[in-house]
Amino acid sequence: MLCALLTAGCATTQAAPERDSGPTPLTAVDALGDFGSIDYCSLLDVPKVAPGAVAVPTFESCRAEAGPRTILVGPLAFDSDPNIKPYDYAGPVPDGVAVQQSMFNDRSACTRAITFADGTRLDLSVTDGGGDQDARCTVADAAVGSALTAITARKVGRLTFPDRSWGRVAPCVPLDNHDLDAAAGAGSQPTAGLSGHSCIRGKVSFKLTVETVEPSGPVETLGGREARVRVAGAFCLVDATQPAPGLPGRRELAEISVVETAGTAGDGTCTLARGAANAILPRLPTPGKP
């Protein structure tokens, strides 16, 4: 009688059907965790992919060198790239993940991209200065397989940043400064990169990482630090380094660049880059100093 009077209430006590628990598309955050502390060298099985290579982890990539061959794992990217095309990768791929190839510079490099379900991609490239693209791409595919194995096995390593390391610096903070208005453009706002170790404000870019290539060019003093100024196409770049805390023999790198939107960078662009360096570099910590 009670259920007859309270039919609706009795009906709601029935168990709801279970939802289909199919595979979940793998996002970059699920695969890699915090982007700011990824040890990209943990994604590269060096003995298998590049026997004898010396691998150096930076803040947003891993660079492994064996003779003339260089393997680069990283960085992460989210922007669309018209050079990225599908191809028939033969290995297993997690649900929601695509492995693609880049057609850019494909006569001297083989570049692959692991694109996750949220659109974030991990770039991997192999260069060696030779003419055998098939050999480069065999290594690149092995690097892709190594990365996917580490990801699916939940073996992505983490970097730690000791006191005074530039890995602890929030790079957009020094760019949020009126002293940069001339170089960046008044009214421009800082935007952080995916890794958390780079920032762009207008025409000024600022990146913190670990140096992997020996510097060249004359030394000058900017912002109280030794620095080198160089032109690369439309960019004038200022590089400054410090000993890397926790990485004996290595140096951390602060790279400041200003882009010339009207063409090739020149003296005027480098004047702006020097001004940006004078505003940014004094705000970075120095090992051994409070």
Side-chain angles (χ1 to χ4, degrees):
M1 175 65 72
L2 181 60
C3 277
L5 294 173
L6 301 174
T7 303
C10 289
T12 58
T13 62
Q14 296 179 2
E18 291 186 5
R19 298 179 61 181
D20 180 19
S21 57
T24 301
L26 186 64
T27 66
V29 171
D30 289 338
L32 301 170
D34 171 40
F35 294 166
S37 63
I38 299 169
D39 180 355
Y40 290 88
C41 286
S42 70
L43 303 177
L44 185 65
D45 186 344
V46 173
K48 180 178 179 180
V49 177
V54 176
V56 179
T58 75
F59 298 166
E60 52 188 19
S61 67
C62 175
R63 184 184 182 96
E65 294 186 346
R69 176 166 289 162
T70 298
I71 302 170
L72 191 65
V73 180
L76 293 174
F78 192 74
D79 57 321
S80 60
D81 184 344
N83 295 299
I84 299 291
K85 307 291 184 184
Y87 87 109
D88 188 18
Y89 173 69
V93 178
D95 186 62
V97 174
V99 179
Q100 300 160 309
Q101 63 181 333
S102 173
M103 308 308 295
F104 178 73
N105 203 25
D106 60 356
R107 293 186 178 182
S108 59
C110 183
T111 302
R112 302 307 198 209
I114 299 173
T115 303
F116 298 94
D118 56 358
T120 304
R121 73 174 190 270
L122 173 68
D123 291 336
L124 306 94
S125 66
V126 178
T127 57
D128 58 18
D132 191 343
Q133 181 71 340
D134 288 342
R136 281 191 290 269
C137 288
T138 297
V139 176
D141 283 343
V144 169
S146 169
L148 291 176
T149 296
I151 287 168
T152 54
R154 301 291 181 183
K155 291 185 177 179
V156 179
R158 316 315 303 178
L159 296 176
T160 57
F161 304 109
D163 288 342
R164 320 307 294 169
S165 168
W166 289 347
R168 290 174 171 253
V169 174
C172 286
V173 173
L175 296 191
D176 192 11
N177 182 341
H178 285 302
D179 290 342
L180 289 166
D181 287 353
S188 56
Q189 298 295 318
T191 302
L194 274 176
S195 73
H197 299 290
S198 64
C199 187
I200 296 176
R201 179 187 164 195
K203 296 189 295 181
V204 175
S205 298
F206 179 41
K207 180 174 74 173
L208 297 162
T209 186
V210 173
E211 185 179 66
T212 56
V213 178
E214 286 293 326
S216 61
V219 174
E220 57 186 280
T221 300
L222 295 171
R225 296 179 183 271
E226 291 187 351
R228 287 178 169 84
V229 180
R230 57 192 169 93
V231 172
F235 297 89
C236 185
L237 302 99
V238 177
D239 296 337
T241 65
Q242 71 166 5
L247 288 175
R250 297 289 176 181
R251 298 186 69 83
E252 294 181 336
L253 170 69
E255 182 183 89
I256 300 160
S257 69
V258 174
V259 64
E260 175 53 66
T261 56
T264 303
D267 291 343
T269 318
C270 287
T271 296
L272 293 174
R274 287 182 172 93
N278 281 324
I280 294 170
L281 295 179
R283 307 181 71 181
L284 297 179
T286 301
K289 292 186 178 181

